[in-house]
Amino acid sequence: MADMKTAPAAAIAAAPSPTGTAGAAPSGGRGRIRRHWRLYAAISPFYLLFLCFGLVPAGFSLFLAFQRWDGLGDMEYAGLSQFRYLLADTQFWDAVVNTLEIWAMGTLPMLFIALVSAVMLNSAVRFKGVYRFAYFVPSVTSVVAVAVIFGSIFSTSFGLMNAVLRTVGIGEVAWLNEPWGIKVAVAALMTWQWTGYNAIIFLAGLQTIPTELYEAARVDGAGPVRTFFSVTMPMMRPVILFTVVVSTITGLQSFSESQVLLGRNDGMSTFAGGPEHAGQTVVLYFFQQTFDNNDFGYGAAIAWAIFMMVVVFSLINWRLVNRRERARRPS
């Protein structure tokens, strides 16, 4: 009887393992690569393209930030002088302030409108697909084409905005000739462009909220507003965090909006961003220094400053949202 009980165990011990001989340890990394080389080959194009067009250029730009180079002659080592000049460059800091103001004027209303639109789309009964398509169209439309249209809308003499203002008895506004009007026009363009994209993301998050939570809120007597702030907002916090971080990155890297709305055809980079450089963002300033002034070393330093700024503001947003989430959790 004992032999019959021990026989299966002995047979299992003697059986060869899936990775080779009986009792042998799994092979190392080279063995896994040989066994799964087809899978690695299938995903390799992405990594090769990222290496060629992402990692290598990023590494070269970091190297270039410590050099003086006009793009044609020999490079001259500059050390940290490019970054020291950057810290004292008032035009760069003016561009940072412009970028933050345009980001606040465009991103915050955009996220609010996108969230309200997503709630309305989620509660719609008929033509849901049509509404979602209509909201997403601005995200796939060329920024340059849209900027040209917005340039006509905010035109001083024949713009739609001034036509509306004249209709209600308000005088014309030189939108693209006044510093605050420039920021309003650029922020409006960014709001129109990204509202639909974030609305679709919010809609996907809303559809993951269990309906039992809304039913329980209605049983407790909560109205639509109380339900929105007590159920929808807490459950949507991870999605809101994602949209805030992505919108922050997008807003701090804005370029095409100001370039097309306020660009000049005379090649004079000193007028980039409109009067008083009110629409000059940090990326537009980077483009001006690099490709207009042919100062590739200083342009690389600006690019890495933009990268650090994006990282810092993304971490701030992450910390703020997570802190509020931890404060709401029961101890």
Short mmCIF file of all heavy atoms in Angstrom, two decimals, residues 29 47 52 56 91 116 127 133 138 143 149 165 172 187 195 202 218 231 253 256 292 312 318 320 330:
data_model
loop_
_atom_site.label_atom_id
_atom_site.label_comp_id
_atom_site.label_asym_id
_atom_site.label_seq_id
_atom_site.Cartn_x
_atom_site.Cartn_y
_atom_site.Cartn_z
N GLY A 29 18.22 34.79 -18.87
CA GLY A 29 17.63 35.72 -19.82
C GLY A 29 17.89 35.33 -21.26
O GLY A 29 17.02 35.48 -22.11
N TYR A 47 10.57 49.99 -30.33
CA TYR A 47 11.75 50.35 -29.55
C TYR A 47 12.88 50.87 -30.44
O TYR A 47 13.64 51.76 -30.04
CB TYR A 47 12.22 49.16 -28.72
CG TYR A 47 11.24 48.79 -27.64
CD1 TYR A 47 10.33 47.75 -27.82
CD2 TYR A 47 11.20 49.49 -26.45
CE1 TYR A 47 9.42 47.43 -26.83
CE2 TYR A 47 10.30 49.18 -25.45
CZ TYR A 47 9.41 48.14 -25.65
OH TYR A 47 8.51 47.83 -24.66
N CYS A 52 15.85 55.62 -32.21
CA CYS A 52 16.39 56.48 -33.26
C CYS A 52 15.82 57.90 -33.20
O CYS A 52 16.55 58.87 -33.40
CB CYS A 52 16.10 55.88 -34.64
SG CYS A 52 16.94 54.30 -34.93
N VAL A 56 17.95 58.87 -28.72
CA VAL A 56 19.19 59.44 -29.25
C VAL A 56 19.08 60.96 -29.41
O VAL A 56 19.98 61.70 -28.98
CB VAL A 56 19.57 58.76 -30.58
CG1 VAL A 56 20.73 59.47 -31.24
CG2 VAL A 56 19.94 57.29 -30.32
N GLN A 91 13.43 87.65 -21.04
CA GLN A 91 12.47 87.28 -22.07
C GLN A 91 12.00 85.84 -21.89
O GLN A 91 10.84 85.53 -22.14
CB GLN A 91 13.07 87.48 -23.46
CG GLN A 91 12.04 87.36 -24.59
CD GLN A 91 12.61 87.75 -25.94
OE1 GLN A 91 13.74 88.23 -26.04
NE2 GLN A 91 11.83 87.54 -26.99
N VAL A 116 -18.59 68.62 -17.62
CA VAL A 116 -20.04 68.83 -17.75
C VAL A 116 -20.56 68.20 -19.03
O VAL A 116 -21.63 67.57 -19.05
CB VAL A 116 -20.35 70.34 -17.70
CG1 VAL A 116 -21.82 70.59 -17.99
CG2 VAL A 116 -19.98 70.92 -16.34
N PHE A 127 -28.94 59.35 -30.02
CA PHE A 127 -27.85 59.93 -30.82
C PHE A 127 -26.56 60.08 -30.02
O PHE A 127 -25.82 61.06 -30.17
CB PHE A 127 -28.27 61.30 -31.39
CG PHE A 127 -29.56 61.27 -32.13
CD1 PHE A 127 -30.67 61.94 -31.62
CD2 PHE A 127 -29.69 60.58 -33.32
CE1 PHE A 127 -31.87 61.92 -32.30
CE2 PHE A 127 -30.88 60.56 -34.01
CZ PHE A 127 -31.99 61.23 -33.50
N PHE A 133 -18.99 61.75 -31.61
CA PHE A 133 -18.19 62.07 -32.80
C PHE A 133 -18.02 63.58 -32.95
O PHE A 133 -16.92 64.07 -33.24
CB PHE A 133 -18.88 61.49 -34.04
CG PHE A 133 -18.23 61.90 -35.34
CD1 PHE A 133 -17.06 61.29 -35.77
CD2 PHE A 133 -18.79 62.90 -36.13
CE1 PHE A 133 -16.44 61.67 -36.95
CE2 PHE A 133 -18.19 63.28 -37.31
CZ PHE A 133 -17.02 62.66 -37.72
N PRO A 138 -12.87 68.21 -33.08
CA PRO A 138 -11.80 69.21 -32.93
C PRO A 138 -10.44 68.62 -32.60
O PRO A 138 -9.41 69.21 -32.94
CB PRO A 138 -12.32 70.08 -31.77
CG PRO A 138 -13.80 69.92 -31.81
CD PRO A 138 -14.03 68.52 -32.22
N VAL A 143 -4.39 71.77 -36.25
CA VAL A 143 -4.29 72.96 -35.41
C VAL A 143 -4.06 74.20 -36.27
O VAL A 143 -4.58 75.29 -35.99
CB VAL A 143 -3.16 72.79 -34.38
CG1 VAL A 143 -3.03 74.03 -33.51
CG2 VAL A 143 -3.40 71.56 -33.53
N ILE A 149 -8.79 79.85 -38.75
CA ILE A 149 -10.20 80.19 -38.55
C ILE A 149 -10.37 81.10 -37.34
O ILE A 149 -11.11 82.09 -37.37
CB ILE A 149 -11.04 78.91 -38.41
CG1 ILE A 149 -10.99 78.11 -39.71
CG2 ILE A 149 -12.47 79.24 -38.03
CD1 ILE A 149 -11.66 76.77 -39.64
N LEU A 165 -20.08 91.66 -30.38
CA LEU A 165 -19.97 92.77 -29.44
C LEU A 165 -20.70 94.01 -29.96
O LEU A 165 -21.34 94.74 -29.20
CB LEU A 165 -18.50 93.09 -29.18
CG LEU A 165 -17.68 92.03 -28.43
CD1 LEU A 165 -16.24 92.48 -28.28
CD2 LEU A 165 -18.30 91.72 -27.08
N GLU A 172 -15.75 97.63 -30.41
CA GLU A 172 -14.83 96.63 -30.93
C GLU A 172 -13.62 96.48 -30.00
O GLU A 172 -13.23 97.41 -29.30
CB GLU A 172 -14.36 96.99 -32.34
CG GLU A 172 -15.46 96.99 -33.37
CD GLU A 172 -14.94 97.34 -34.75
OE1 GLU A 172 -13.76 97.79 -34.83
OE2 GLU A 172 -15.68 97.18 -35.73
N ALA A 187 -6.09 81.14 -25.55
CA ALA A 187 -6.74 80.25 -24.59
C ALA A 187 -8.05 79.69 -25.15
O ALA A 187 -8.38 78.52 -24.94
CB ALA A 187 -7.00 80.99 -23.28
N THR A 195 -11.35 70.30 -25.56
CA THR A 195 -12.53 69.99 -24.75
C THR A 195 -13.11 68.63 -25.11
O THR A 195 -13.43 67.81 -24.23
CB THR A 195 -13.60 71.08 -24.92
OG1 THR A 195 -13.09 72.32 -24.42
CG2 THR A 195 -14.86 70.72 -24.16
N PHE A 202 -13.44 61.63 -19.89
CA PHE A 202 -14.34 61.71 -18.74
C PHE A 202 -15.53 60.77 -18.92
O PHE A 202 -15.99 60.14 -17.96
CB PHE A 202 -14.83 63.14 -18.56
CG PHE A 202 -13.82 64.06 -17.94
CD1 PHE A 202 -13.65 65.35 -18.39
CD2 PHE A 202 -13.04 63.63 -16.87
CE1 PHE A 202 -12.73 66.20 -17.82
CE2 PHE A 202 -12.10 64.47 -16.29
CZ PHE A 202 -11.95 65.75 -16.76
N ARG A 218 -29.86 58.44 -4.50
CA ARG A 218 -31.25 58.87 -4.67
C ARG A 218 -32.12 58.40 -3.51
O ARG A 218 -33.02 59.12 -3.06
CB ARG A 218 -31.79 58.33 -6.00
CG ARG A 218 -31.28 59.09 -7.21
CD ARG A 218 -32.09 58.75 -8.45
NE ARG A 218 -31.92 57.36 -8.83
CZ ARG A 218 -31.00 56.94 -9.68
NH1 ARG A 218 -30.16 57.80 -10.24
NH2 ARG A 218 -30.91 55.65 -9.99
N VAL A 231 -20.72 61.68 -5.27
CA VAL A 231 -20.53 60.37 -5.90
C VAL A 231 -19.62 60.48 -7.13
O VAL A 231 -18.60 59.80 -7.22
CB VAL A 231 -21.88 59.73 -6.28
CG1 VAL A 231 -21.66 58.39 -6.99
CG2 VAL A 231 -22.75 59.55 -5.05
N GLN A 253 3.42 73.01 -23.43
CA GLN A 253 4.13 72.82 -24.69
C GLN A 253 3.40 73.46 -25.87
O GLN A 253 3.68 73.12 -27.02
CB GLN A 253 4.32 71.32 -24.95
CG GLN A 253 5.24 70.64 -23.95
CD GLN A 253 5.40 69.16 -24.23
OE1 GLN A 253 4.59 68.54 -24.92
NE2 GLN A 253 6.45 68.57 -23.70
N SER A 256 1.80 75.85 -31.71
CA SER A 256 1.16 76.13 -32.99
C SER A 256 0.12 77.23 -32.87
O SER A 256 -0.07 78.02 -33.81
CB SER A 256 0.50 74.86 -33.55
OG SER A 256 1.46 73.85 -33.73
N ASP A 292 15.51 80.67 -35.62
CA ASP A 292 15.63 82.02 -36.15
C ASP A 292 17.00 82.61 -35.88
O ASP A 292 17.61 83.23 -36.75
CB ASP A 292 14.54 82.93 -35.55
CG ASP A 292 13.16 82.60 -36.09
OD1 ASP A 292 13.09 81.86 -37.10
OD2 ASP A 292 12.16 83.06 -35.52
N VAL A 312 7.95 69.28 -13.06
CA VAL A 312 7.62 69.90 -11.77
C VAL A 312 6.12 70.12 -11.65
O VAL A 312 5.50 69.77 -10.63
CB VAL A 312 8.40 71.22 -11.60
CG1 VAL A 312 7.86 72.01 -10.42
CG2 VAL A 312 9.88 70.94 -11.40
N TRP A 318 -0.02 65.99 -9.34
CA TRP A 318 -0.15 64.64 -8.79
C TRP A 318 -0.24 64.70 -7.27
O TRP A 318 -1.08 64.04 -6.65
CB TRP A 318 1.04 63.80 -9.23
CG TRP A 318 0.99 62.38 -8.78
CD1 TRP A 318 1.33 61.88 -7.56
CD2 TRP A 318 0.56 61.26 -9.55
NE1 TRP A 318 1.16 60.52 -7.52
CE2 TRP A 318 0.68 60.11 -8.73
CE3 TRP A 318 0.11 61.11 -10.85
CZ2 TRP A 318 0.35 58.83 -9.17
CZ3 TRP A 318 -0.22 59.83 -11.30
CH2 TRP A 318 -0.10 58.72 -10.47
N LEU A 320 -1.13 67.25 -5.32
CA LEU A 320 -2.34 67.92 -4.86
C LEU A 320 -3.55 67.00 -4.91
O LEU A 320 -4.32 66.91 -3.95
CB LEU A 320 -2.60 69.17 -5.70
CG LEU A 320 -1.65 70.35 -5.47
CD1 LEU A 320 -1.98 71.48 -6.44
CD2 LEU A 320 -1.74 70.84 -4.04
N PRO A 330 -11.09 57.47 5.27
CA PRO A 330 -11.27 57.36 6.72
C PRO A 330 -10.01 56.84 7.38
O PRO A 330 -9.28 56.00 6.83
CB PRO A 330 -12.43 56.36 6.85
CG PRO A 330 -12.40 55.56 5.58
CD PRO A 330 -11.91 56.52 4.52
#
